[in-house]
Amino acid sequence: MTKQQYPRSPKVLLGGIAHLGRFIDKVRLRHAGKIQDYNYITVGFDKYLIDFLQIDPKVFEQQVLAGGSDESLLAWVKTNGRTHSDQEIAEWSKGILTGGPKDDAAKQRYQGRLQDIATKRGVPVTALPPATTWVDAIELDEGRM
């Protein structure tokens, strides 16, 4: 049986930017047919990242699929996206990495996600490691927590 492949953690910073490496991995893995059920480009962290960087996601996707390295893709982002100070990048990344559900509807979705993870693991939700952020849910789901 082949082990599930996951994109890298959103915690891995590329140029100080949270989720950028994960987004690159998602493009590569999806186009290789190795992931299908991931939110992709138009929602979630991908959308937040694209909006923050102000890049064209389809053009960026083409750059990734052309075989760009992390370093060359970061350079492309810096050339073709909005210029951000190191402080702006750090604040945005911190927001992504520490953000959790804010309203009742989001809290219900979050609890549902934790329940799905617990069900996959065959344990009660209370047996999962403590989780409060959206990144925690990703880390739990992908077995890094």
Side-chain angles (χ1 to χ4, degrees):
M1 183 170 154
T2 304
K3 186 177 180 194
Q4 170 72 41
Q5 268 192 285
Y6 295 109
R8 73 190 99 171
S9 169
K11 293 179 179 181
V12 175
L13 304 180
L14 181 56
I17 305 168
H19 189 72
L20 180 57
R22 180 178 179 82
F23 183 51
I24 292 167
D25 288 354
K26 286 169 73 175
V27 171
R28 290 178 179 146
L29 291 168
R30 184 163 179 104
H31 283 273
K34 295 181 179 175
I35 59 172
Q36 284 80 36
D37 62 341
Y38 277 69
N39 291 337
Y40 187 66
I41 296 180
T42 60
V43 297
F45 286 177
D46 292 351
K47 176 92 171 95
Y48 295 143
L49 179 66
I50 290 163
D51 290 349
F52 174 70
L53 298 175
Q54 294 183 6
I55 58 172
D56 181 320
K58 292 298 182 184
V59 175
F60 182 72
E61 184 177 46
Q62 292 169 355
Q63 295 296 312
V64 172
L65 296 175
S69 67
D70 284 354
E71 294 75 23
S72 68
L73 293 166
L74 177 61
W76 185 92
V77 164
K78 288 182 176 185
T79 301
N80 294 280
R82 180 174 170 260
T83 301
H84 294 282
S85 69
D86 290 344
Q87 182 178 349
E88 288 173 316
I89 291 169
E91 287 173 8
W92 184 86
S93 292
K94 181 181 178 187
I96 287 293
L97 297 174
T98 62
K102 304 225 181 320
D103 59 33
D104 288 339
K107 289 174 184 171
Q108 287 181 340
R109 281 193 316 277
Y110 190 80
Q111 287 306 311
R113 182 124 186 236
L114 294 181
Q115 182 58 59
D116 290 346
I117 295 164
T119 299
K120 279 195 244 180
R121 291 186 180 188
V123 300
V125 171
T126 55
L128 294 175
T132 58
T133 68
W134 291 109
V135 169
D136 288 345
I138 292 169
E139 299 294 273
L140 281 168
D141 193 31
E142 296 178 359
R144 290 184 287 266
M145 275 180 67

